Each structure stands twice: as structure tokens, then as C-alpha cells.
Amino acid sequence: MDKVRKFALKDVLIDGRSLGAAVVPLFKERSGRLTFHIGAIFPDGNPDSHGDLLKSKIELVGPDGRRFEVLASKLAHSFHGDQNSVIVVPKRRPISLIYAKQFTSGSAIIASPPEMIIKNIDLTDCSGNCFSVQFDKDSGGTFLRIRTDHPGDSERLLEHYLEFHEFISFAKGQFCGLGNIEAYDATNGLAAEIIGFTRYDENKVQTTWFDEGIQEHLPEIFLKFSFARRSDLHRRALRQTLEFYRASNASRDISIEMSVIAAHSALEAIVNYILEHEAGWSRALLSERANIFSDKARAAFKFMRLTNDLMEHSAELKLLSKSRQNMDGFQIISFFRNKIVHQDLNFSPNGVQLHECWLLIQWLVEALTLTSIGYYGKIVDRRIYQGWRGSTCPLG
């Protein structure tokens, strides 16, 4: 449900010219969009008398004295004596407001979370900080509330939740929204707040490694994920891999070909990290033209001690393999990627083949990502696209 609150502005600046303080309505929509209704600050008459607002630089000064730029989204003038309608939206969101230097506890909202988090759970990072995940029954799982009891710097409030946010987005396979954060001081006074949400994917949820049956393993996986991110190299590799991985999931219903390409990019990111920084391959060896990517992916798979049969659940790909001199799964993946990129008119894969290939690459990305952080438990086997949802497989 959309919410409205009164928001105290210390000033409104139009191209640097002050219009004075005001209290205006702030609407927080379910989508995360923020709108300020500032028509009341204008005197009687058309707001255009203050210049063309659509071209002007409009800045709002929040209660903490910070400026943030907004853009006019709707201008209307009533000829019946009613208040002018001037609606503006923040140029950037979310909005950060600081009232005290330090906070001791806080809460945040995750919008569009993994749909299979169905009960409360505590996740603890490698520094001992606990994120208490509370399932919101009233929203039907549309939102999760996160509570924390560890202190921090109010200037870095958003960073306080970024590791958790990255992990929960990995569980969903797409970006979750992070926002509407409130932080409190030792006297339970408001020390800082972040209004609005980060960007997030609202596409149809795709099956990933996580499902209801994996929730009991989340504390272990999050702790390992947190430890892995303490390495700058591993953190960058995870971030790059997950960016392509979520893009592949988010674009699946738009273009299966683009999803395959994005998934392959995610696979390249995690494979190159494993070979160079875990297996000890030199850059010269990695860049050697004779070492084709299918061989690199196979080497990374074996180095991580994975023994799963790649095409175990890919009936169409198995048939294709037989017609192509018994290519293995790694060769099939590169074969599809190259045929899509280079538009080979002599090969036209059918929809089921493309779907199986996409599932196989994304499963491989998940398996290598999870084993790279040290997790060898069970995950949902997304390669199984027929039958019951949530079928699992062990890693190893």
C-alpha cells in the first residue's frame, strides 16, 4: 500500500533562489517511487511565474540540511482557486538523511525478495553481525523486514546492508530492492534514515539454486559468502558474476538468446577467477589462444571437485551431442554461445535446446559460485524443468 507522510523541508531552491521552508506531503509508493507534492510553497498564481520548472534546477533541503535535486514530473494550475499541483521526484534514490553520527540498531525493508523465504531466520556475517529476517505475512512475501542490533556509522548506513542485499539477490537470482531503512541511537532516537529503494527486478521469478527446502542452509551459505567477500579479488569476482547472472534471469522472458549470452558471461567471470586466483593459472596461460573456453570451464569444474553429470537432465542436448561427435556439456555450452553470437545460418537450435542450454549454464554458474565460497551442500537443481519444483542435487 502507498504511504504518505509529512516531510519538513528547510528550504526549496529554484535555480539557487530560495522559496523558504515548508512541510509537504511525501508519497512512498509500493514500487519504491517517491513523489513530493510541493505546490503549497508557491504563492497564488501559476507556478510558471517562477520560471520554467521543467528546465529549472530544483533542490530540496531536507531536515538534516542536506540538499537533493528533484525533477518536476507534473505541473498543473487550477483556474478555480485551488492549490497548484507541483509534483517532483528525486533525481537519485534512495534519499539519505543523517541526524546523528552513530547508530546502534536499525531496520530495513527488502522489496521483491526470494519468494521461498517463508519463515523468520537469522543470518550472521563473518564479523558476528546478525541480520534478523522477518517474513511479512501481511504483504504475502512481497516484503521482508530486516532488523539488526549492531552499531555503525550513520554516513555509511546503506553500506551496512549491502553484503546482505547482494546475498539475498543471489538467492533470488535477480535484484531485490533495499530501502526504507531506519537507524536508531542509544536512546532509541532516529539517527538516520534512507527513504525509498534501490533499483530491483520485478520480472517473473525464475527457478534458482534456492527454494523452500534450502532455507535451513542459508545461515551456513551466508556466513561462507561473507568470508569470501573479505577478499577484494573474490568480492569483485562475485559481484561481476552475479551481475551477469541476474541479468540472464531477468531477461529470460524477453530473449532466450540474450539470456544464454549473459549466462555465458557470468560463467566466464567465475571460471577466470577460479583458474587464476584459486588454481594458480598464470595470465599467460589464461590468455593462451590454444586454451579454448570449454577446456577452461572443465578445468575449473574439476578443480572445485565437482563430479556432477552436466547433461544429466538435458535430453535434447544429449541428442544434439550424439549428432556432434559426442560433445560434452562444456563443449555444448561454448558451441551454443558461438553459434548465437556469430549467427551461423547452418545451425538453428529449437526452443527446448536453447532452454536446456540456458538452464545448464546458469546451474554451472551457481555450482561454481557456491563451491568457490566453500559450500558443498545441496541446492535446487534448476536443470530439472519437468516434474516437481524444488528437486535438489548435491554439489561435489
Side-chain angles (χ1 to χ4, degrees):
M1 176 179 289
D2 299 345
K3 294 184 178 180
V4 60
R5 62 179 274 193
K6 294 294 183 180
F7 196 81
L9 297 172
K10 285 192 172 182
D11 203 354
V12 177
L13 303 172
I14 308 294
D15 289 331
R17 185 163 57 88
S18 172
L19 296 184
V23 177
V24 302
L26 164 61
F27 285 83
K28 297 193 293 184
E29 301 176 13
R30 285 180 63 90
S31 64
R33 186 171 182 259
L34 302 174
T35 59
F36 292 88
H37 295 235
I38 63 173
I41 71 171
F42 293 95
D44 292 339
N46 195 319
D48 286 344
S49 63
H50 295 276
D52 187 351
L53 293 183
L54 294 176
K55 298 179 181 178
S56 298
K57 182 178 181 179
I58 310 173
E59 295 175 289
L60 306 183
V61 182
D64 62 346
R66 295 186 176 207
R67 295 185 183 186
F68 53 94
E69 190 173 351
V70 294
L71 302 173
S73 68
K74 180 179 179 182
L75 303 175
H77 175 62
S78 171
F79 293 98
H80 302 288
D82 295 330
Q83 180 177 303
N84 297 312
S85 177
V86 181
I87 300 176
V88 296
V89 297
K91 189 174 182 179
R92 293 182 179 180
R93 69 180 192 198
I95 297 170
S96 178
L97 301 171
I98 309 298
Y99 310 113
K101 290 184 178 181
Q102 298 288 323
F103 64 88
T104 59
S105 63
S107 68
I109 299 294
I110 296 293
S112 189
E115 66 173 6
M116 282 299 159
I117 292 184
I118 58 172
K119 57 185 178 181
N120 298 349
I121 187 171
D122 290 342
L123 302 181
T124 304
D125 67 18
C126 65
S127 299
N129 300 321
C130 179
F131 297 84
S132 181
V133 183
Q134 300 178 351
F135 178 72
D136 187 350
K137 294 181 180 179
D138 293 336
S139 73
T142 304
F143 300 98
L144 293 176
R145 181 173 293 278
I146 314 302
R147 296 193 182 277
T148 62
D149 288 320
H150 44 283
D153 183 347
S154 295
E155 294 282 354
R156 304 178 65 179
L157 178 58
L158 189 63
E159 296 177 36
H160 196 65
Y161 293 89
L162 286 184
E163 182 173 275
F164 174 86
H165 175 247
E166 190 172 308
F167 176 75
I168 210 72
S169 292
F170 176 42
K172 181 187 177 185
Q174 299 180 45
F175 278 146
C176 304
L178 169 64
N180 287 0
I181 304 173
E182 296 179 348
Y184 303 95
D185 60 22
T187 64
N188 208 33
L190 192 62
E193 62 178 328
I194 292 177
I195 305 173
F197 288 90
T198 59
R199 63 191 177 104
Y200 59 93
D201 299 309
E202 294 185 276
N203 303 59
K204 177 182 176 182
V205 175
Q206 303 290 349
T207 297
T208 71
W209 61 273
F210 173 74
D211 208 330
E212 178 182 348
I214 307 299
Q215 180 163 334
E216 63 180 296
H217 300 282
L218 283 187
E220 174 192 356
I221 301 173
F222 177 62
L223 182 59
K224 293 179 181 296
F225 183 86
S226 178
F227 270 112
R229 288 184 83 262
R230 291 304 181 266
S231 160
D232 289 340
L233 290 172
H234 206 164
R235 182 174 64 253
R236 285 200 292 266
L238 288 172
R239 187 166 293 166
Q240 184 181 29
T241 300
L242 299 183
E243 180 66 37
F244 287 119
Y245 169 74
R246 54 78 35 192
S248 180
N249 285 326
S251 63
R252 172 60 185 88
D253 292 339
I254 301 173
S255 169
I256 180 62
E257 290 84 2
M258 289 304 299
S259 293
V260 169
I261 299 304
H264 198 278
S265 297
L267 184 59
E268 291 178 47
I270 193 62
V271 163
N272 287 336
Y273 167 77
I274 289 171
L275 293 182
E276 182 175 0
H277 301 291
E278 300 292 338
W281 284 33
S282 67
R283 292 197 174 186
L285 186 59
L286 281 169
S287 60
E288 175 61 50
R289 295 178 66 89
N291 294 324
I292 58 177
F293 182 72
S294 59
D295 289 342
K296 294 177 183 178
R298 189 183 301 106
F301 189 78
K302 290 185 177 180
F303 180 81
M304 299 313 299
R305 309 192 311 278
L306 288 165
T307 59
N308 306 75
D309 176 3
L310 252 60
M311 294 192 293
E312 179 182 1
H313 304 292
S314 309
E316 288 292 318
L317 294 187
K318 284 183 177 180
L319 292 175
L320 179 65
S321 171
K322 290 180 180 179
S323 69
R324 295 277 173 175
Q325 299 180 327
N326 291 317
M327 288 181 172
D328 69 6
F330 301 101
Q331 293 171 312
I332 287 287
I333 286 170
S334 289
F335 175 75
F336 268 78
R337 182 265 180 195
N338 293 335
K339 293 302 182 182
I340 292 172
V341 170
H342 300 297
Q343 301 179 9
D344 189 341
L345 299 179
N346 295 319
F347 177 70
S348 181
N350 62 46
V352 177
Q353 289 173 335
L354 282 168
H355 185 60
E356 287 186 354
C357 180
W358 174 68
L359 292 174
L360 177 55
I361 303 174
Q362 289 289 75
W363 177 87
L364 188 52
V365 170
E366 294 168 349
L368 289 175
T369 298
L370 288 165
T371 53
S372 81
I373 68 174
Y375 177 71
Y376 282 86
K378 68 177 183 178
I379 63 170
V380 170
D381 193 340
R382 68 185 295 154
R383 297 171 300 173
I384 303 175
Y385 60 97
Q386 296 177 336
W388 294 102
R389 172 177 178 171
S391 299
T392 62
C393 67
L395 294 177

